[in-house]
Amino acid sequence: MRLAYSTKLGNSFIGNSEEILKEKQFENLAHKINLIFTSPPFPLNRKKSYGNLNGDCYIEWLSRFGPLFNELLAPDGSLVIELGNSWDPGKPTMSLTPIKALIELKRTGKFHLCQEFVWHNPTRLPSPAQWVNVQRIRVKDAFTRLWWLSTTPQPKADNRSVLREYSPSMKELLKTKKYNSGKRPSQHRIGPNSFLTNNNGAIPSNVLSIPNTSAFDPYLDFCRKQKIPRHPSRMPSDLAKFFILFLTEKNDIVLDPFAGSNVTGFVAETCDRRWISIEKEELYARSAISRFDRSSVTLKIEEENNG
Ligand SMILES: C[S@@+](CC[C@H](N)C(=O)[O-])C[C@H]1O[C@@H](n2cnc3c(N)ncnc32)[C@H](O)[C@@H]1O
C-alpha cells in the first residue's frame, strides 16, 4: 500500500482499491467508515484514459466491491455511488448495464436502497454526439444518478444540514403569513399553519442541479503549470459537499475508493471530516495534493522507496 500524501485529516493511497481494501491495515477500519462516497469508472463505449469496462464484465467487477464496502461501513453508515448513463455500442439506444450493476452491487453488499438522486449538470456538453449533434435524433444526456445505499434502512442522515435558501415567494409568505389553505388539485390538504414555520431553509429535493465549472481551481492551475494531464472526470465539489454534510458529522470518516483528483478528500477536509482516498493512477493521486492549502495543512509526501 503506497501513500501519496497525508494531511491533517486524511490519507491518499495509490493502488487498486480492490486489493488495498483487503490489506491488513484496513482490517482496523472494519465497521468504522461513516460514508463511502464515490464515482467509479462508468461502463462507457468511448473509454476514458483510466480505462472502463463494459457489459457483463463491468457488472461482475463492480459487484465484487459489495462485500468489501459492507464490511467497512459503520452500522449506520452510507454508501453513495454515482453511476452514469450508458449507451449501446453503435445504436441510439440506452444500455441497462448501470442499472444491472446497481442491482448486483446491492445484492452482493446486502444493502438497502435508501434513495435515488439525480445530479443534473446544466453545463454538460451534448452527448452522445452521433445521435444528439449529428443525426439530431436524441436530446442531451445531462444527468447521472447517485444511489444511496446502506446496510440498515435507517442510516445516519439529517436534511437540516443541507437546507437550501428559501425562494423569494416563500420568504414573502413567511413575512406576510398569507396563503390559500385547503385542498390542492393533487388532493393534498394544506392546513392554515402548514407553511408558517420558518425552518431556516427549504428541504432540498433529490434532483441536484450543479454546474461542473469552477472559476478558479488550484488543481487545474497546478496541472497547467506542471504540464501534466488533468483528470478527465472531475466532479463539482458541491456535489460531494451535499452528501458529506447530509450523511456525516464532524470527525466522521469518509472513504473514496475511486478517488481520481480527490475532490471527496478535499471536501471532507474542509468540512472537518477525516478521509481516506484510493486512486490507481499514480499521476492523478499525486497531483491532487495541489487541492490542499499547504500553509494550513501538514503535508508529508512519502519518499518513493524505489531502491
Ligand atoms: C470517475 S473517476 C473519479 C473522479 C473523481 N470523483 C474526481 O472528482 O476527480 C474514477 C477513477 O477511478 C480510478 N480507478 C478505476 N479503477 C480503480 C481501482 N480498482 N482502484 C482505484 N482506483 C480506480 C480511475 O483511475 C479514475 O481516476
Side-chain angles (χ1 to χ4, degrees):
M1 179 148 64
R2 284 192 302 155
L3 187 67
Y5 57 91
S6 295
T7 67
K8 197 169 64 172
L9 295 178
N11 292 299
S12 159
F13 295 102
I14 307 165
N16 180 344
S17 49
E18 193 176 356
E19 287 159 17
I20 290 183
L21 294 177
K22 289 180 195 156
E23 288 199 17
K24 259 235 143 341
Q25 288 103 310
F26 265 81
E27 279 175 16
N28 302 334
L29 288 169
H31 310 300
K32 292 205 176 119
I33 304 288
N34 304 94
L35 172 64
I36 301 174
F37 179 74
T38 198
S39 172
F42 301 160
L44 303 175
N45 297 319
R46 289 189 63 192
K47 311 253 174 278
K48 299 276 183 184
S49 54
Y50 48 75
N52 304 70
L53 296 169
N54 213 333
D56 290 346
C57 295
Y58 182 86
I59 298 168
E60 201 274 322
W61 170 76
L62 195 67
S63 72
R64 292 204 301 267
F65 285 89
L68 295 174
F69 291 167
N70 179 308
E71 180 68 17
L72 287 166
L73 281 178
D76 61 355
S78 291
L79 161 65
V80 175
I81 184 160
E82 183 193 20
L83 294 177
N85 292 327
S86 156
W87 292 73
D88 292 319
K91 286 193 239 156
T93 53
M94 293 188 75
S95 155
L96 285 178
T97 299
I99 303 287
K100 289 183 186 163
L102 169 79
I103 293 170
E104 270 306 283
L105 180 71
K106 181 179 179 294
R107 186 185 65 78
T108 59
K110 299 189 172 69
F111 293 125
H112 299 268
L113 176 56
C114 300
Q115 199 163 16
E116 172 186 1
F117 284 78
V118 164
W119 167 35
H120 167 235
N121 176 1
T123 54
R124 188 130 169 215
L125 292 173
S127 76
Q130 179 62 25
W131 319 123
V132 177
N133 299 28
V134 181
Q135 297 198 22
R136 309 286 291 259
I137 55 171
R138 295 291 180 271
V139 295
K140 254 169 74 167
D141 188 358
F143 72 86
T144 62
R145 289 192 177 83
L146 288 104
W147 300 100
W148 172 21
L149 302 157
S150 171
T151 55
T152 160
Q154 299 253 23
K156 175 162 69 179
D158 187 352
N159 69 25
R160 283 168 294 214
S161 327
V162 284
L163 296 178
R164 301 299 201 222
E165 192 182 345
Y166 280 132
S167 64
S169 56
M170 185 63 192
K171 283 183 190 163
E172 187 61 19
L173 187 153
L174 285 169
K175 218 168 22 180
T176 60
K177 306 210 178 295
K178 275 198 204 129
Y179 67 96
N180 295 328
S181 56
K183 212 168 177 182
R184 293 287 192 266
S186 61
Q187 303 194 333
H188 287 100
R189 182 165 290 284
I190 308 293
N193 294 320
S194 305
F195 290 145
L196 296 185
T197 316
N198 186 341
N199 291 310
N200 301 318
I203 297 172
S205 79
N206 62 348
V207 178
L208 305 168
S209 194
I210 304 173
N212 204 357
T213 48
S214 56
F216 176 72
D217 184 338
Y219 168 75
L220 296 183
D221 201 41
F222 176 82
C223 293
R224 201 166 32 242
K225 285 187 181 139
Q226 298 291 320
K227 297 190 171 54
I228 52 174
R230 45 194 181 171
H231 196 283
S233 323
R234 301 172 317 276
M235 63 167 56
S237 52
D238 281 350
L239 186 64
K241 193 171 179 184
F242 176 87
F243 288 99
I244 289 173
L245 292 180
F246 179 32
L247 302 175
T248 66
E249 296 171 287
K250 279 192 181 167
N251 218 30
D252 277 357
I253 309 179
V254 180
L255 166 72
D256 188 343
F258 305 103
S261 65
N262 203 13
V263 171
T264 305
F266 169 67
V267 174
E269 180 112 9
T270 58
C271 297
D272 292 324
R273 272 64 168 173
R274 291 175 287 161
W275 59 269
I276 299 161
S277 292
I278 307 170
E279 166 56 45
K280 76 174 168 57
E281 299 291 332
E282 178 158 1
L283 190 60
Y284 295 143
R286 287 195 185 280
S287 53
I289 197 173
S290 57
R291 293 195 178 283
F292 296 85
D293 178 357
R294 283 166 195 252
S295 62
S296 63
V297 178
T298 333
L299 295 166
K300 298 172 268 161
I301 308 176
E302 195 194 48
E303 288 303 320
E304 272 293 308
N305 183 12
N306 27 0

